Amino acid sequence: MSDLGTTDAVLRLLLDGQARTRAELIDVTGLARSTVTGRIEALLAAGLVVPSGEAVSTGGRPPARFRFNPTARLVLAADVGATHLSVALTDLAGEILHRSTTPLKIAEGPEVVLDAVAAAGHALLKEAGRSPDDLAGTGVGLPGPVEHSTGRPNHPPIMPGWDSYDVVGRLGSELPGPVLVDNDVNIMALGEHATAYPDVEHLLFVKVATGIGAGVISGGRLHRGAQGAAGDIGHIQAPGHTELCRCGNTGCLEAVASATALAGRLGVSTSGDIVELVRSGNTAATAEIRQAGREIGTVLAAAVSLLNPSVIVVGGSLSQAGDSLLAGLRETIYARSLPLATTHLRVIRSQTGSDAAVLGAATLILQHTLS
């Protein structure tokens, strides 16, 4: 992919999938004919652009058209959860081509988990009939804080043995291309934004599952903060609560309104159990979910006043429990935020669902490679 640095203007224009002639590319980019011709040749040689028929002639030989070739390279995307591993192969347009999901505990440690990521990647490449050399890179989402510049986990509370582990080096020794790592909620925000809301400038993605967190899209870009900790709303204190959180503090939103907290109060084990209770009409579970929405909404109301998003997208396993969670969220967000900040605010369920994380992991590589 080394030619991309010299072909970016032409490639960016062709990423929309529309076929164009050299003359059209010259007209839109403002580049010289010789420059556009050279860049087209470089892209053709890299396989990133292919001929796409001919335009109507205005006299003489019909001009050739060229279009972006999304299958020129593949991207490996890994969503490493607390108890599962989902891996997918996508093309350069972010389309999922092959995927696999297996039970795997993050507490098994980095060697076991990353071995499984690499093995799944090679298996998917074999299934696709492609070579590892076809990889543009590997994107990984982890369920804990990550220093994005290095890809190293930073004191992750549910990931024993992972602190400061060289994830990039470990996977880079097995898989070609760059390896980019980020927090799971950040990549879910990226996946939702790129897939469902590419034109939205200001968006919050809120994951409500075993933990609670937010991914912040500001000015059309993911906002990670100084150390990659932006959006860690799960450890903001919920007003009026003193429950002990796994982080050591008391009253954290996660200790009050996460799937773990709700499961303990309802006498079940997993978020899936909670969803099933709500879907079966269990009134206690429905009330718990709605109250969890209110508690989360209280914290999000402050985020709305601070960041003024136009869309709040709710994902994670508990978002599948009907409308009660969203109803509770809307109730407190709209009641506690200024009308100016909520006039056009939408609070809606994720459109990408369980694919948000792998789509976001792929987006990490696509933005890096095709920017």
Side-chain angles (χ1 to χ4, degrees):
M1 308 293 284
S2 59
D3 291 325
L4 286 177
T6 61
T7 57
D8 54 354
V10 173
L11 179 59
R12 279 200 304 270
L13 189 59
L14 291 171
L15 287 178
D16 63 4
Q18 181 179 339
R20 293 179 174 86
T21 65
R22 285 186 178 87
E24 289 170 331
L25 292 168
I26 291 166
D27 183 54
V28 175
T29 64
L31 297 170
R33 175 175 292 275
S34 59
T35 302
V36 169
T37 297
R39 292 183 178 183
I40 285 292
E41 293 302 319
L43 289 166
L44 287 168
L48 293 169
V49 163
V50 292
S52 183
E54 297 176 334
V56 176
S57 174
T58 57
R61 184 178 178 180
R65 288 188 183 276
F66 303 94
R67 64 171 177 82
F68 175 57
N69 176 21
T71 63
R73 300 286 190 276
L74 299 175
V75 172
L76 185 64
D79 167 29
V80 183
T83 58
H84 77 274
L85 170 64
S86 295
V87 182
L89 271 183
T90 80
D91 62 17
L92 293 179
E95 185 76 20
I96 295 175
L97 306 176
H98 300 275
R99 73 172 85 205
S100 67
T101 299
T102 55
L104 183 64
K105 293 182 178 179
I106 192 76
E108 294 281 346
E111 294 292 336
V112 171
V113 172
L114 297 178
D115 278 349
V117 171
H122 284 293
L124 291 177
L125 284 165
K126 184 176 181 180
E127 182 181 343
R130 301 288 290 267
S131 162
D133 291 336
D134 290 331
L135 277 183
T138 301
V140 181
L142 296 176
V146 173
E147 185 180 54
H148 180 67
S149 61
T150 64
R152 293 176 183 263
N154 187 1
H155 297 92
I158 64 167
M159 298 168 61
W162 285 81
D163 185 35
S164 295
Y165 188 85
D166 186 9
V167 177
V168 173
R170 177 68 186 82
L171 286 178
S173 68
E174 299 250 4
L175 299 163
V179 176
L180 300 178
V181 187
D182 210 333
N183 169 265
D184 59 349
V185 188
N186 279 347
I187 67 166
M188 292 172 81
L190 277 176
E192 186 80 19
H193 184 252
T195 304
Y197 303 99
D199 298 324
V200 171
E201 289 283 302
H202 305 283
L203 175 148
L204 281 180
F205 185 98
V206 181
K207 177 186 178 183
V208 187
T210 304
I212 298 173
V216 182
I217 302 292
S218 180
R221 300 171 63 88
L222 180 64
H223 175 70
R224 295 184 173 92
Q227 273 75 46
D232 193 5
I233 63 169
H235 298 286
I236 295 175
Q237 186 173 29
H241 287 276
T242 59
E243 292 90 332
L244 180 64
C245 181
R246 61 184 178 177
C247 74
N249 288 327
T250 58
C252 291
L253 183 63
E254 197 167 287
V256 173
S258 67
T260 302
L262 269 62
R265 294 199 291 270
L266 290 169
V268 297
S269 300
T270 69
S271 55
D273 296 334
I274 299 169
V275 171
E276 285 304 312
L277 284 176
V278 173
R279 288 178 175 175
S280 67
N282 184 288
T283 54
T286 300
E288 285 282 0
I289 284 281
R290 180 148 188 162
Q291 182 58 30
R294 295 189 186 104
E295 300 286 2
I296 298 167
T298 299
V299 171
L300 284 180
V304 167
S305 296
L306 182 66
L307 299 170
N308 191 202
S310 55
V311 180
I312 296 177
V313 179
V314 184
S317 53
L318 286 190
S319 70
Q320 303 304 311
D323 293 326
S324 297
L325 182 69
L326 288 177
L329 282 164
R330 290 171 179 144
E331 181 181 329
T332 49
I333 289 172
Y334 290 122
R336 291 174 176 267
S337 301
L338 290 173
L340 180 62
T342 57
T343 300
H344 300 293
L345 175 66
R346 291 177 288 163
V347 182
I348 51 183
R349 187 179 291 110
S350 167
Q351 292 189 33
T352 56
S354 60
D355 285 339
V358 290
L359 289 169
T363 301
L364 280 176
I365 297 297
L366 294 173
Q367 290 182 347
H368 174 79
T369 302
L370 301 176
S371 63

